[in-house]
Amino acid sequence: AAHMYPDQVVCYCHRVQAKEVVAAILKGAKTPEDVARATGARTGCGVLCITGVIRLLRAAGIELTKAPGYQWYDLKVSLWDIPLELQQKYPQYYLAEDLRDVDKVFPGGETP
């Protein structure tokens, strides 16, 4: 249902394959955090593999909603949605500067 090969790499940081994620799901993993604890996926960069992990969870009939903290699974977040508190917490990502520059091109988050 996920249209993935069993040996397909889902997490490149730790070389976790789709079949390992499926095994974790069959053993009871219900969230990406559960999959991370069982396989190590998402414990490196934490970014590139989330889509594959969510796809495999959904293929198993598991619907995801709110994640811990600020993240929502499968939500498309833009710079305009990131709270000021979070922008200030991670100054190394230059979110305020990026928002200022993007806002010059698309004022108020109005993208075509």
Side-chain angles (χ1 to χ4, degrees):
H3 303 287
M4 298 175 92
Y5 294 105
D7 293 332
Q8 183 172 336
V9 175
V10 174
C11 173
Y12 288 94
C13 293
H14 297 291
R15 304 285 305 160
V16 177
Q17 297 174 318
K19 62 186 175 188
E20 295 172 88
V21 174
V22 170
I25 293 168
L26 291 172
K27 289 180 181 179
K30 303 275 188 238
T31 67
E33 291 76 25
D34 292 342
V35 170
R37 283 189 286 278
T39 66
R42 296 190 65 232
T43 61
C45 75
V47 175
L48 299 176
C49 53
I50 187 65
T51 304
V53 169
I54 288 174
R55 189 186 328 165
L56 289 163
L57 285 163
R58 286 197 174 141
I62 299 168
E63 285 300 316
L64 301 168
T65 55
K66 177 94 171 71
Y70 289 99
Q71 181 179 354
W72 285 77
Y73 299 119
D74 205 29
L75 177 68
K76 310 298 187 265
V77 178
S78 73
L79 282 171
W80 292 278
D81 298 320
I82 299 174
L84 180 61
E85 165 194 343
L86 204 54
Q87 292 177 32
Q88 293 170 341
K89 185 175 179 179
Y90 299 101
Q92 69 271 28
Y93 295 113
Y94 304 101
L95 297 169
E97 292 85 350
D98 288 347
L99 180 57
R100 182 192 65 235
D101 292 340
V102 170
D103 205 37
K104 289 177 187 176
V105 178
F106 303 109
E110 298 298 322
T111 56

